[in-house]
Amino acid sequence: MYRRNPGGLSRRDFLKSAGAMAGGLAASSALPFASLAQSDMSGALQWNTNHNTLSVNDFKIVIENFNEEYPNIDINLINSGDASLYYTQINTAGVGGTLPDLFYVRSFDAAPFGARGWITPLNDLMERDGMDLSDFWPAQVAQNSYQGQLMTLPYDFSNVAIYYNKTMFDEVGVPYPTNDWTWDDCFEIAAAFKDGEPGDQTRWGVELWTWAWMMMGLLHAGGGATFSEDNRSCIVNNPENVATLKRIQEEIAAGNAVHRGMTPAGLDPFLTGNIAMEVQGSWSAFYMLDGIGDSFEWDIVKLPRGSTGLTSVSAAGGAWGIATNTEDLDVAWEFCKYITNTESTNILISNNLRSVPGRLSSVPRWEEVAGTDIWKGRYVQVFPEQMLNDAINWSYPVFMGEYDAAWNARIIGVFEGNDPEEALAQIEEEANAAAARYFEDE
Amino acid sequence: MFNSDLLRREAIQGYLFILPWFVGFVVFTAGPLTAALGFSFTDWNGVSALEWIGFENYIQLSQDSRFWQSLKVTLVFTFFYLILNLIIGFALALVMNQPAPGMRLFRTIYYLPAVLSGVAVAVLWSFLFHREFGALNWLLGFIGIKRIGWIVSESWALPSIIIMELWRVGSTIIIFLAGLQGIPPELYEAAEVDGANRRWRLWSITIPLMSPTIFFVLIVGFINSMQVFTQAYIMTRGGPNYATFFYSINLYQTTFRELRLGYASAQAGVLFVIIFIITLCILWVSRYRVNYELV
């Protein structure tokens, strides 16, 4: 089975070590002239991102900071907010050999981009500069690697938990969920919030997203695997996964659960008070805070345990890759290191709790912000805690994109009543056809 | 001598005038088309070396269930959309051709959806089609029809996209209106004097004289329908369960997601051939059905 993150490491131990690491980094940065001197390095870089306006503002701050140390390096930031458009641009540029010097790469893309030779392996550069991997999440290092080489430097690392509407719980008279709950408990609680009959409902108990990578964790909690251990084939069609999907299907049919396709497009039904609980990512906490405002009280709870007794959180993140076609690798590497150092990660992620930082040494700052009044004691710490204790330490296969497409094409049908076994068989067949294309030359 | 020089100069000038178009055509149309044809015989992902594989891509296409599904979806959409678009467009154009008060406003309102971007229309209709909160199901509820899962239901997803596209019938109406207003009124007057009623006038004058316009709408509509992409991509991404997996979505996915550029070129080539052959068939039929006498 898949390796899990070290379960023996408690949150306190983790924070202690992360704090020590942060202290070490701070001390090293205080060395005379080590990082304060301006560098003579010069050049121009194209940096492409796939983020929202708030993040872009932070990117600009980091560029300004970088230019204080590297005044002769011009950074041209181009952001494509739309993910589909962004990946079309990246794929087209990749084929054309005109990729931006530095660009955003998700966990799912590290292996395929590496296989296509689009991003520069970083091991030699890291060794040259004495960087090690101990400050990154082990699971993310695994996801960002291809054939033993780290392909990208981490930006953030995300996982999912359940956001719940405390006001709605109070109104219905249901006790708040606790971290030791199971999916059975979750669906049982969800039934209390059902308003109307299936097909004519305006309120549901819990909303499930259908993302392939997130569902991999849910399937794992039910005892089912998605890919073979060597990530060379898809094995999603197994009795455990069929049972998990049937269970979800039943809950949707009963009106207790809902999938995103059933709720209004463009609106978050959790924000509008149409659902009591929502499976949502660590990246959403900041937007929940802003979007919900004083409309209702809310909190976050761990993802429930599945039939195996495991919570099995699937994690994925964002990172920065250096294009192999870059004309100035040293400059790109210097900038890549800069935007992923602890200080920049604090600015980009931890200062606003935008997901979980990609660096462990940024977690203390993250914890500090999470403890401020603005968060009203909400349990946002669930995300780094899940990352430590419940995240599955897996990486994604090179054919993840094709698996994702096959999954997305079928899963709504399953949630709407199609036979899960048949759908999983088709998904498996399509994913394996893609896998065969990747491995046919070996 | 003089004539010959003049003719030569005129010829050179003529060639110079068409040169920008010709260069554009070669560089942006003929060149890529020829290249795509060549790529279709290769295994190439844009990064690897081109590997000549003969007709392998075409053989694989014939065994590819996604190819057949996308072709089926596209042809079914094209068939129903074209027929309904012609009938509804023509009927509304006939109504709008009447000299009634407020008709200009009526025409403008009908044309408005045609000027909206495909993405905006798709997002708007996603709301309207929503099973629980959509206006469409809310209205149907008044006549006792149960909520329909328009775009999340395998059986309704494709009809939903046809309905949405028909909402943009305004552009067809405008073309038909132009055609209708080009019919000489004397013909109707003469027919009326001869005792022809409305139906006879429609069958004997309007439709025959409108046949070139109908033919034009048919050809253009057919070619566009075979390439539908935006609306389905925004609303359903080809789902659920490939129910709206149009040929162009398949092509896009193969090209930009899977980077199978050789295979995608074969898909594009097949689409080109299908459109070309069906267009030729329509043109052949038009020789017997289209009346150009008064055009």
Side-chain angles (χ1 to χ4, degrees), chain A residues 274-329:
Chain A
N274 293 104
I275 50 169
M277 298 175 280
E278 180 181 46
V279 178
Q280 188 52 277
S282 44
W283 61 88
S284 279
F286 179 81
Y287 302 102
M288 290 289 186
L289 194 69
D290 189 46
I292 296 170
D294 296 327
S295 304
F296 57 82
E297 285 301 317
W298 59 279
D299 210 336
I300 313 172
V301 63
K302 261 181 80 166
L303 215 54
R305 283 180 284 117
S307 57
T308 55
L310 298 172
T311 299
S312 298
V313 173
S314 185
W320 306 110
I322 300 173
T324 43
N325 61 251
T326 184
E327 289 180 2
D328 202 336
L329 179 60

Side-chain angles (χ1 to χ4, degrees), chain A residues 80-153:
Chain A
S80 301
D82 180 85
S84 182
L85 178 67
Y86 176 77
Y87 288 103
T88 301
Q89 287 171 344
I90 290 297
N91 281 337
T92 310
V95 169
T98 56
L99 281 163
D101 300 285
L102 193 73
F103 59 103
Y104 181 70
V105 181
R106 298 172 305 178
S107 295
F108 328 113
D109 302 316
F113 287 4
R116 290 171 199 152
W118 290 358
I119 41 181
T120 309
L122 304 176
N123 285 17
D124 288 347
L125 292 165
M126 292 188 70
E127 196 181 334
R128 187 192 74 185
D129 291 2
M131 283 178 72
D132 64 41
L133 301 171
S134 61
D135 197 27
F136 302 126
W137 301 95
Q140 193 168 19
V141 170
Q143 292 177 4
N144 291 3
S145 299
Y146 175 67
Q147 293 184 338
Q149 287 272 354
L150 187 72
M151 305 306 292
T152 54
L153 284 187

Side-chain angles (χ1 to χ4, degrees), chain A residues 45-232:
Chain A
L45 291 179
Q46 177 70 49
W47 182 24
N48 281 37
T49 59
N50 171 221
H51 292 77
N52 58 37
T53 318
L54 293 171
S55 297
V56 169
N57 290 338
D58 291 338
F59 292 150
K60 287 177 182 168
I61 292 170
V62 170
I63 291 175
E64 279 176 24
N65 293 347
F66 177 75
N67 281 144
E68 283 180 16
E69 287 183 45
Y70 298 88
N72 302 321
I73 297 177
D74 290 328
I75 309 292
N76 183 29
L77 172 67
I78 293 183
N79 182 63
S80 301
D82 180 85
S84 182
L85 178 67
Y86 176 77
Y87 288 103
T88 301
Q89 287 171 344
I90 290 297
N91 281 337
T92 310
V95 169
T98 56
L99 281 163
D101 300 285
L102 193 73
F103 59 103
Y104 181 70
V105 181
R106 298 172 305 178
S107 295
F108 328 113
D109 302 316
F113 287 4
R116 290 171 199 152
W118 290 358
I119 41 181
T120 309
L122 304 176
N123 285 17
D124 288 347
L125 292 165
M126 292 188 70
E127 196 181 334
R128 187 192 74 185
D129 291 2
M131 283 178 72
D132 64 41
L133 301 171
S134 61
D135 197 27
F136 302 126
W137 301 95
Q140 193 168 19
V141 170
Q143 292 177 4
N144 291 3
S145 299
Y146 175 67
Q147 293 184 338
Q149 287 272 354
L150 187 72
M151 305 306 292
T152 54
L153 284 187
Y155 163 73
D156 67 355
F157 202 34
S158 305
N159 64 62
V160 293
I162 292 198
Y163 290 69
Y164 65 98
N165 183 329
K166 288 171 81 173
T167 305
M168 205 184 279
F169 270 72
D170 291 341
E171 284 167 3
V172 178
V174 175
Y176 301 144
T178 53
N179 279 339
D180 59 348
W181 67 335
T182 64
W183 278 109
D184 286 341
D185 299 332
C186 176
F187 290 133
E188 197 178 315
I189 292 171
F193 294 95
K194 193 172 91 172
D195 188 12
E197 287 307 307
D200 192 15
Q201 268 181 261
T202 52
R203 196 175 71 189
W204 296 263
V206 61
E207 184 191 43
L208 302 166
W209 283 76
T210 54
W211 306 312
W213 70 272
M214 192 209 77
M215 290 293 289
M216 281 171 64
L218 206 147
L219 297 175
H220 184 272
T226 302
F227 301 112
S228 60
E229 279 197 59
D230 60 2
N231 266 348
R232 292 172 72 91

Side-chain angles (χ1 to χ4, degrees), chain A residues 83-85 87-88 91-92 94-95 116 118 199-202 204 259 261-267 274 402 405-406 409-410 412-413 416 418 426 430 437-438 440, chain B residues 43-47 51 60 65-66 123 126-127 130-133 147 149 151-154 233 236-242 252-253 255-261:
Chain A
S84 182
L85 178 67
Y87 288 103
T88 301
N91 281 337
T92 310
V95 169
R116 290 171 199 152
W118 290 358
D200 192 15
Q201 268 181 261
T202 52
W204 296 263
H259 63 83
M262 290 164 71
T263 53
L267 294 174
N274 293 104
E402 287 85 349
R410 307 275 183 198
I412 296 290
E416 290 289 316
N418 286 354
Q426 288 161 334
E430 284 173 30
R437 287 196 295 273
Y438 281 96
E440 66 189 353
Chain B
D43 181 14
W44 184 50
N45 67 6
V47 181
E51 187 189 345
Q60 208 179 322
S65 59
R66 281 200 326 194
V123 172
S126 296
F127 277 92
H130 196 271
R131 179 165 52 194
E132 270 75 25
F133 302 96
R147 291 177 189 276
I151 51 175
V152 291
S153 150
E154 245 178 276
Y233 186 72
T236 60
R237 300 267 157 152
N241 217 7
Y242 295 100
Y252 171 82
Q253 200 164 301
T255 311
F256 293 106
R257 290 288 169 266
E258 299 173 12
L259 288 183
R260 300 166 68 195
L261 304 188

